[in-house]
Amino acid sequence: MDFNELMDKRKERIMGLISEENYKPLTISELCFFMEVPSEARTLFHDVIAELCKEGKVFITKKEKIILPEKLNMVAGIFHSNAKGFGFVTDDNNMDKKIFIAPSFVNGAAHKDHVLCRVLGNTDRRPEGEIIEVLKRGYDFIVGTFERSKNFGFVLPDDKRLTSDIFVSNEHSMGAVTGHKVVVKITKNSPERRNPEGKITEILGHTNDVGVDILSIVRQYELPVEFPEKVMEEIQNIPFEVSESDLEGRVDLREEVMVTIDGEDSKDLDDAISIGVLENGNYKLGVHIADVSHYVKENSPLDQEAYKRGTSIYLVDRVIPMLPHKLSNGICSLNEKVDRLALSCEMELDQRGNIVSHRIFESVININRRMTYTIVSDILTNSNSVYKEEYNEFESMFRQMEALCHILRNKRVKRGAIEFSFSEAKIVMGKDGVPIDVKLYERNIATKIIEEFMLASNETIAEDYFWQEIPFVYRNHETPDSEKMEKLSIFINNFGYNFKTQNA
């Protein structure tokens, strides 16, 4: 049993005793005696109690008695601040319970702090409270703008929910001047709602410098820019090209015509499409996904870092990848005219969009052309497209994609699919890194083709594993609440619309 497990066991024992109905509040010394803690273990016992206090699970009164916070009408939770000064504490034990904290009762707590809060009463059926203690700060570092006075300075946080400026003495300012974007570490939280004190650890640049605004966001949200040394060591053994040994047991699809269709600025290409019409008139659709798992082994440093990051992060002028560029833009990207490993889902679909057969397998592919949404859409919708000559050999393929897309879309609509169409903006940057325009992303026939084909393959794979009764991760939506659906039905009926509910 490791140290953490041992600590958890001891915490569990103490909480079990304190939570008993007939427990009478005891001091630490009395609790030691009652639990027969040997003298050599009492220092550790004190540490366990201190940990429980930090977690907000127990509270020590002025008479040094140990008691559950709820016995004193207290709760521990996360404080969510508002720029106007008030906020709410979300109860650790009941996420639906939110206690309103007026500005005069915040008592130095900041956004995302883990706090102990005393519930004072209910107003308009809403509990209100006062923050008694900050158990743990939500931020170790804060990004903001530095302002210098004669003998000291202040950092104004970028996050407007952090309502207190941070006091910085000259010796801790790193020579920052007014207008510098800085990273400041909180070193002291002054009592009685005075400004917290801090120490500047990094100067990002002046607010007017190109790229400093994006860098500030990276630091503010602690986005992981660099990869750990162990990850970089691991990828040294990953090749730049597919080797012959990698092909063993895979279906060779390198002679099959296929393309990728993505945005102009996409660099990590993770899916490809192939399509054809069979002798019986059915479509043969192939969706091929880059086989990242061949290179990212379970529980390896690379896998653990990818799990920690969760996704690639797209900022205005850069991408912070989930995997190092050697993989995301290299061996795991389905680049044009190079061999790549993939997981393929081939489907046979009839003229009504029904999938009559399918197979899922590991493959090796070689992309014929890297296409963009703009070019494919222009070829399909513009009879005078300037791209027709260059991509003449692929036009019939795109026409087949368009036809099957319409079939699948009509089938989904008949099943009751809802079309959500939200505008999405793209910021256009100049060569100097300064934004020069904001444009809307246009959904066109090419984006719809990819949407429909990905949905078809996802449903096919999910159904395949469902019937095999193999453990699988499914992404779905819960059944809507019947009472809410009934209220919505009544509401929209007033506008002349209606739909069937489960009870209809």
Side-chain angles (χ1 to χ4, degrees), residues 258-405:
M258 59 181 69
V259 297
T260 59
I261 307 177
D262 293 275
E264 282 84 353
D265 51 359
S266 296
K267 293 181 175 62
D268 47 340
L269 314 177
D270 52 17
D271 55 78
I273 302 296
S274 60
I275 195 169
V277 178
L278 302 172
E279 290 183 1
N280 60 5
N282 289 349
Y283 289 96
K284 179 187 176 184
L285 172 66
V287 174
H288 315 275
I289 308 297
D291 187 1
V292 180
S293 63
H294 182 83
Y295 302 100
V296 182
K297 301 304 181 184
E298 187 175 3
N299 290 325
S300 66
L302 187 55
D303 180 41
Q304 290 172 3
E305 181 66 16
Y307 180 84
K308 177 182 173 183
R309 295 183 177 219
T311 182
S312 295
I313 301 169
Y314 293 82
L315 300 170
V316 174
D317 65 345
R318 72 195 73 182
V319 177
I320 299 176
M322 184 174 71
L323 297 170
H325 287 292
K326 186 177 181 180
L327 278 76
S328 60
N329 293 0
I331 194 70
C332 293
S333 183
L334 305 182
N335 300 330
E336 183 180 303
K337 294 182 170 54
V338 290
D339 292 351
R340 289 291 184 259
L341 304 183
L343 295 173
S344 296
C345 177
E346 282 189 349
M347 297 156 278
E348 180 181 345
L349 301 97
D350 63 23
Q351 291 295 323
R352 291 179 296 179
N354 298 312
I355 298 173
V356 296
S357 66
H358 73 275
R359 64 176 184 146
I360 302 163
F361 53 91
E362 295 179 334
S363 62
V364 54
I365 62 177
N366 191 299
I367 304 303
N368 295 80
R369 294 302 289 265
R370 184 253 203 264
M371 305 299 302
T372 68
Y373 296 124
T374 302
I375 293 175
V376 173
S377 178
D378 195 65
I379 291 172
L380 293 174
T381 59
N382 181 6
S383 57
N384 298 316
S385 174
V386 296
Y387 303 110
K388 283 204 172 189
E389 184 177 348
E390 182 179 356
Y391 300 103
N392 179 58
E393 61 182 305
F394 299 101
E395 184 173 354
S396 62
M397 179 185 188
F398 298 147
R399 296 290 174 192
Q400 291 172 1
M401 290 182 183
E402 180 183 24
L404 180 56
C405 170

Side-chain angles (χ1 to χ4, degrees), residues 99-194:
I99 299 121
F100 175 78
I101 309 295
S104 57
F105 290 144
V106 169
N107 294 335
H111 182 60
K112 287 191 176 179
D113 284 352
H114 191 221
V115 301
L116 195 61
C117 161
R118 177 182 285 116
V119 180
L120 302 175
N122 293 284
T123 303
D124 297 328
R125 293 175 296 178
R126 180 183 63 189
E128 295 189 2
E130 177 182 12
I131 292 175
I132 302 301
E133 183 183 351
V134 175
L135 303 171
K136 184 181 179 183
R137 285 293 175 185
Y139 292 94
D140 290 326
F141 296 88
I142 292 172
V143 175
T145 305
F146 184 78
E147 287 193 6
R148 176 171 288 284
S149 295
K150 186 176 180 180
N151 299 316
F152 57 87
F154 282 98
V155 175
L156 285 65
D158 285 354
D159 190 336
K160 300 306 178 187
R161 291 169 297 189
L162 299 171
T163 54
S164 295
D165 300 339
I166 298 101
F167 173 86
V168 179
S169 64
N170 278 345
E171 62 179 312
H172 292 144
S173 68
M174 286 185 69
V177 300
T178 297
H180 268 155
K181 281 287 183 184
V182 299
V183 180
V184 59
K185 178 178 175 61
I186 303 297
T187 56
K188 183 180 179 182
N189 286 288
S190 300
E192 299 176 1
R193 285 168 251 150
R194 290 170 57 195

